[in-house]
Amino acid sequence: MQNYFDDKNREFVIADMYPRRPWLNYLWNDQTVSSVNQFGFGNSFSMLSNRRRNIENGERHVYIKDRKSGEYYSANRNFDKLPFDKHECHVGLGYQKIISEYNGIRTEFIITLPKGGCALQFDIKVENISEEEKEIDVYFYNQPLPSLSYEAYGVADYDEELQGILYSHIGYRVTMPYTHLYLASEKQIHSYDACYNRFCGVYTTLAKPNGLTTDTLANLGLSNDKYVGVFQYRLSLKKSEIFETVIACGVARNREECIELAKQYANKNSFEQSLQDQKDMNEAYTDTFTMQSDDDIMDSQVNVWLKRQISLGKTWGRIYGKGFRDTLQDLTAFVSFDPKFARERLLYILKHMFEDGNTIRMFEPNFRYPYNDGATWIPAAILAYLNESGDVGVLDEKIPYIKGNTKENTSYVEGVVTYEDYSKICTEETYSVFDHLQRAMDYLYGCRGKRGLILLHGGDWNDSLNAVGKLGKGEGVWLTIATVKAYNEFIQILKIAKKEERISEFVSRREELKACIMKHGFESDRFIYCYNDYDEKIGSEDSPEAKIFLNPQTWSVLGNVAEKEILESVMDSVESNLACDFGYIQCNPPFTKGSDRIGRVSYFFGGNVENGSVYNHGVAFKAVADCLLGRGDAAYKTLKLIRYDNPKNLNSGVEPYAVTNMYTGPYNRYLKGYAPDSWITGTAGWTYRCITEYFCGVQAAFEGLKIAPCLPTTWNKLNVTRKFRGATYRIAFERGDCNKILVNGKEIVGNVVPLQAEGTECDVRVYFR
Amino acid sequence: MQNYFDDKNREFVIADMYPRRPWLNYLWNDQTVSSVNQFGFGNSFSMLSNRRRNIENGERHVYIKDRKSGEYYSANRNFDKLPFDKHECHVGLGYQKIISEYNGIRTEFIITLPKGGCALQFDIKVENISEEEKEIDVYFYNQPLPSLSYEAYGVADYDEELQGILYSHIGYRVTMPYTHLYLASEKQIHSYDACYNRFCGVYTTLAKPNGLTTDTLANLGLSNDKYVGVFQYRLSLKKSEIFETVIACGVARNREECIELAKQYANKNSFEQSLQDQKDMNEAYTDTFTMQSDDDIMDSQVNVWLKRQISLGKTWGRIYGKGFRDTLQDLTAFVSFDPKFARERLLYILKHMFEDGNTIRMFEPNFRYPYNDGATWIPAAILAYLNESGDVGVLDEKIPYIKGNTKENTSYVEGVVTYEDYSKICTEETYSVFDHLQRAMDYLYGCRGKRGLILLHGGDWNDSLNAVGKLGKGEGVWLTIATVKAYNEFIQILKIAKKEERISEFVSRREELKACIMKHGFESDRFIYCYNDYDEKIGSEDSPEAKIFLNPQTWSVLGNVAEKEILESVMDSVESNLACDFGYIQCNPPFTKGSDRIGRVSYFFGGNVENGSVYNHGVAFKAVADCLLGRGDAAYKTLKLIRYDNPKNLNSGVEPYAVTNMYTGPYNRYLKGYAPDSWITGTAGWTYRCITEYFCGVQAAFEGLKIAPCLPTTWNKLNVTRKFRGATYRIAFERGDCNKILVNGKEIVGNVVPLQAEGTECDVRVYFR
């Protein structure tokens, strides 16, 4: 029962079905997103009319019942740990497949969704793999969520024309037009039920539902109780005979639309098309960069899985909402997979800025707490897009702002999210992307405190340092470093776009900021995090707790804010102050005294969330910083520390095919090393960029493909294939006695492989010491 | 496995532990309320700092493990339906006791709570009833709810001094001072756990928790996951030996308070005292009226259980809040149980009126939708209290109002509840109860529409007819009838209080209202419900649906608004239009077309909530009306129709010892006859008053005990004991050939037994035809 990466099929195969916590896969299109675990359980919703519309949630089952013996089991869940001959989950890109074999019956349960639209598709395939004929009943069970307010308004019942159950909810003051939900079957059903308490029973669980002990289901709908959907199929299967049906579940505005969509999606052709669409999209994405090293796990991460995770982020953000900062970072990594789509997303994201150049914290739904770091993330994304695509024209594209300035559009009241319609809050006039970018850069410079550092207001990357700047006085050292990094990138963009008129101004602004950082933010072996509204230092040797933070050190390298010796020394401080068995903690020692001069981070129990956890997003910054300092061994060690196969943290619970936001830090002795969740984290994008751009060192540049590896001393070779501007670069790295690069056999000067003609393949040999 | 009422012990014994839905008991004091089912599962919260503070929720278990065989089971739940020798639940007044006997072990699990304070007490008694010595481990499991916001802020760990687990939650922006929770054991524990996922496991259920498969529990606390509490006790029990421990779970402001309360409550003496306190209180209540008829079930209802349900209502309202109308009605029934306490509650409730004489819809939390019926319920409660106590002085007690008038203090935005501190919203000056009563009566008269009927504004008793009067034009026929009834009662109060100066004014107002009712509200065989803002009739022969409502007919009798012939004919209409197998439906036919001119009732699927369900509160009004018309047979039939033992609705799911708010109506073919919940309903008070005051006909009057029975033709005798103004009246009813009443052997004139001296017993013989 060994789990494994099946790179050929771009699958991860879960053979041990009982990891520490359920392992998730995500399925999505632009309208609908669904999480699904190794048993096929999950939840899904669509964004419709600017709101979330739930589709279904929880357990799904394919029950098999032997009609002669009356014995039954859930083929995907196997509650009783029956001695299945096979029970495994194929985690796919855009689908989830659970296979089981027991008692001569092979069952495949596949979940996917169409390329667009608000529906899930379930395929059930049952095969008689025994020698004799089988009389079996097959049941499908799921938990649709038709209610838009209160169950007493709704009703569910079988609809002949739909060939399934129609759930309607036309309730009082329900404004969501998608009031109908369907669960439809391709093949004729034998019976159905729509009530949880009737089907399952009040004193039983879905391991032993009452409905499986009777010959047929109740054939009854429901109003005003817990709605479910259950179909029964009555089969006689000869040896090798296969039964297959496709089931669709989705939402629509009325019965007629439900019938139409059910016909469209509840059939085998549509299901196969969905799988093909997913395959096509994901193959195109995964082909953009592939590596073959001696580290199979890193290969699988980079070649397949991180891409998928980044792709989720760039469309769905953090699922609970689309963080401006978050989607931009994901996009910065995503640009190479599909530059055309990246362009679209870039324009979409940048629309969520205020007229003063600052950004909203999160959109869809909108969260307007006045975080002040949004602008710093913009140039990296634009630069990445320009380098990848060469498309300078994007800077002239025109898009609106959110009407008004930060001050009048944000509030310090947390937790308030609204589903505003963007068209109602945006400016009538549109402005170029370059205008957006310039306003963002100017906003930061104009928003500084008495020390010349950028003001924090509601906070920065560290969401939970949310009270340091509420009075408008607190200044960020990290935030100023991030601004320097942004200015570095902005200056590059100015050069690329041949808009050199503001370069000298920004060079001088940058140097001014660097001087302020060194004067007010540097302490012999560390950069502090910030000053709060009360002139207290956070993350300083003088601080009572949380004396050092990870990010100011790593970003000092990313922003190149000081001499190399200083950068090296603060990174050494990271090693001596923040290292633990499974990564680097965000701050040390953790806060133990809640303070309203600091924010919620100080109230979290130590080791949780941002308070002294191993926050992997930050650890990925650290690995990039290692590479930038030429510390390949440190970078590799760091990347492996936070991997699922770290021998000192094998029971973290994280999916091998996904990276996690956070490992609980050592101070929380009850759960240290535990990864509560994964997928929705900036760690994916930064880990991907770290490995591909800084570790392997294959970087898109405006004028060509830059090669600057920083591999560990234990690596002697590496092969990379990179698609770039329509050409394919096959790059072979080999350790030698000097650094040189041969392109199609000819050594080049410098480290930028010149652009190749579209459609060509190019052979690159990289020798490194 | 026959369930039964054990009236001697004031218990209901559940021997069949698997009813259609879980059966609840309620335990409460003035600060804390807990619901608990037949397995001992439940939830509990306290009102503290004007807010709800959860204590615990969900499953509770007493597991027994045989150390030799490793076999274990939950003694209270018996998940696997093991062949227990005994498994029953004793539903007590103020406690719940689950007894099981299996494999030579008898287990008693008793749950109660102290007379005051924020704690639950659990008593576990394990006895070796076999012949040989037993080596067993006993485990206690429950689900405390320490979190006040987000789990990452909290931490739970064992505390030696506490002798249990201390859960603390000092989170960001947490204003609730009760940040600590304890689970403490009287007896020394062997081991503990505080984490659900560790104890139970991710892939198992509480039927087979992982923690029971190891020798000891993890002995580990938790931060940032699902908190539970588990104690293990290691025992060797000789034949007949008993192990007993008391466990307490409660909330406090800090560790020191937790330790103090744990010491106070986690001990046998305190537990016994709690049971004794509950017993004393409930015996005093139940002794006020007892009946012995040929109908044992009615006897049990009236003698014990309805009183308990009414008592819950008068303190905790509907649990989700304290409805002004609801608590007043419960109090109207409660007054005889404890007049002193009733007086306190009456003053407390009446404080929740606006200065214009109208009332808030609900308090604690406050719900300010502008319902307009609140004032009509006041005189009945005051009159009941005056009649019961003779205490006219209550009318001079001074209490404040809620500052301001209805208009400026209510809003048509539904669903908004606030936890305002009463002291901050009340008037500085105080006013007499009589002033409150007068303002209420004047408010109604002053609030009339063009037909002279009372305006509906946000609605009336029928909460879901909430859009009929939103524009300020809709007028209520039922509401005007209710006002007539209120004026009848007010006039009686004026007489009792010898404040006759306004009698003639109110008699003339009443007659004016009656004339308007007859002119605009009466249609040959029915009273309509109302006119909405658009001059459309609701509940009329002309209405497209919902052509007749129950309450206007029954209340026309209660309010005596017309000639007896008319009242009889509308009640005949009820029989022909609204009767079904298990009661009388609220309206017929149900609404099928949602209309914003009517309100949410029209959106409910037919049969649900107020839309064509058997709403028992209304059915109890109907039974009172039957009695008032001298229709004893109809009243008895009606009362039996909604009882749990109605042979045509035996599977309703309702607790035999509680009445339900509602049976799902016949139009909902999926769930018709089903009782989703119980306990928190005005049905209890009205059923109790119907049986005691109108059916048995024993009514407190200001000048004595009025006797006016309306018994069915099948009843020939009845015995009632009534405590009244300090004396005890033993009343024997017997069918004879004339109506006469003998008091201590002497026939009296009229039907009011004169007041007897305090402390005396009085023999009353009632002969009726």
Side-chain angles (χ1 to χ4, degrees), chain A residues 19-22 38 77 152-153 157 170 172 202-203 221 223 414 466 600 603 605 608 668-671, chain B residues 19-22 38 77 152-153 157 170 172 202-203 221 223 414 466 600 603 605 608 668-671:
Chain A
R20 177 168 179 185
R21 63 162 172 76
Q38 75 270 25
R77 177 61 178 87
Y153 294 117
D157 216 334
I170 305 160
Y172 179 59
V202 176
Y203 302 106
S223 174
E414 279 175 78
N466 59 335
R600 63 172 180 252
Y603 288 90
F605 184 74
N608 296 344
N668 180 339
R669 67 190 186 95
Y670 318 111
L671 287 176
Chain B
R20 176 169 180 184
R21 63 160 172 80
Q38 74 270 26
R77 176 61 178 87
Y153 294 117
D157 216 334
I170 305 160
Y172 180 59
V202 176
Y203 302 106
S223 173
E414 278 176 79
N466 58 335
R600 64 173 179 254
Y603 288 89
F605 184 77
N608 296 343
N668 180 341
R669 67 188 186 97
Y670 317 111
L671 287 176

Side-chain angles (χ1 to χ4, degrees), chain A residues 20 582 608 663-665 668-676, chain B residues 195 198 220-226:
Chain A
R20 177 168 179 185
F582 44 93
N608 296 344
Y663 294 111
T664 304
N668 180 339
R669 67 190 186 95
Y670 318 111
L671 287 176
K672 71 173 176 179
Y674 178 60
Chain B
C195 174
R198 199 191 300 129
L220 199 55
L222 186 68
S223 173
N224 204 19
D225 204 345
K226 184 177 172 186

Side-chain angles (χ1 to χ4, degrees), chain A residues 221-408:
Chain A
L222 186 68
S223 174
N224 204 18
D225 204 345
K226 184 176 171 186
Y227 300 102
V228 296
V230 200
F231 291 154
Q232 181 190 32
Y233 302 92
R234 179 142 290 180
L235 311 178
S236 298
L237 291 183
K238 296 201 181 62
K239 181 185 168 185
S240 303
E241 201 181 348
I242 295 175
F243 165 78
E244 186 170 6
T245 187
V246 172
I247 293 160
C249 185
V251 294
R253 280 169 290 201
N254 51 50
R255 175 173 176 267
E256 290 63 38
E257 259 187 28
C258 281
I259 290 168
E260 195 181 308
L261 292 170
K263 280 200 202 322
Q264 183 180 338
Y265 294 132
N267 73 72
K268 181 71 179 162
N269 289 341
S270 165
F271 174 77
E272 293 291 349
Q273 187 59 51
S274 296
L275 286 185
Q276 190 61 46
D277 289 341
Q278 290 287 345
K279 191 170 184 300
D280 292 347
M281 179 184 76
N282 284 298
E283 277 186 7
Y285 287 3
T286 51
D287 282 355
T288 54
F289 182 104
T290 55
M291 64 185 280
Q292 294 78 40
S293 73
D294 291 338
D295 186 337
D296 292 344
I297 292 172
M298 185 180 277
D299 292 354
S300 297
Q301 277 192 311
V302 165
N303 295 346
V304 183
W305 295 98
L306 287 170
K307 293 191 181 92
R308 184 72 181 154
Q309 201 167 338
I310 292 162
S311 184
L312 172 67
K314 71 91 189 55
T315 298
W316 283 97
R318 300 296 171 260
I319 313 292
Y320 51 79
K322 294 165 190 172
F324 186 93
R325 158 214 306 160
D326 307 301
T327 48
L328 261 193
Q329 285 177 83
D330 295 337
L331 192 72
T332 305
F334 179 83
V335 285
S336 62
F337 309 163
D338 188 344
K340 210 176 133 196
F341 191 27
R343 189 185 209 268
E344 246 176 61
R345 292 299 303 173
L346 183 64
L347 297 178
Y348 190 75
I349 296 166
L350 290 178
K351 283 161 56 180
H352 297 89
M353 292 172 62
F354 300 114
E355 291 181 73
D356 61 8
N358 192 18
T359 76
I360 197 167
R361 168 66 187 92
M362 184 172 83
F363 52 99
E364 293 167 4
N366 297 337
F367 179 57
R368 294 168 171 281
Y369 195 83
Y371 283 94
N372 217 27
D373 63 315
T376 67
W377 304 93
I378 297 171
I382 292 180
L383 181 60
Y385 174 73
L386 292 176
N387 284 339
E388 186 66 35
S389 67
D391 166 28
V392 185
V394 74
L395 296 172
D396 300 325
E397 287 288 346
K398 292 196 159 184
I399 49 175
Y401 289 100
I402 294 173
K403 261 182 256 176
N405 291 337
T406 309
K407 202 167 173 187
E408 64 217 31

Side-chain angles (χ1 to χ4, degrees), chain B residues 470-488:
Chain B
K470 283 179 88 161
L471 303 181
K473 295 182 191 162
E475 294 170 66
V477 174
W478 175 84
L479 185 52
T480 310
I481 294 171
T483 303
V484 168
K485 176 174 177 292
Y487 282 7
N488 289 337

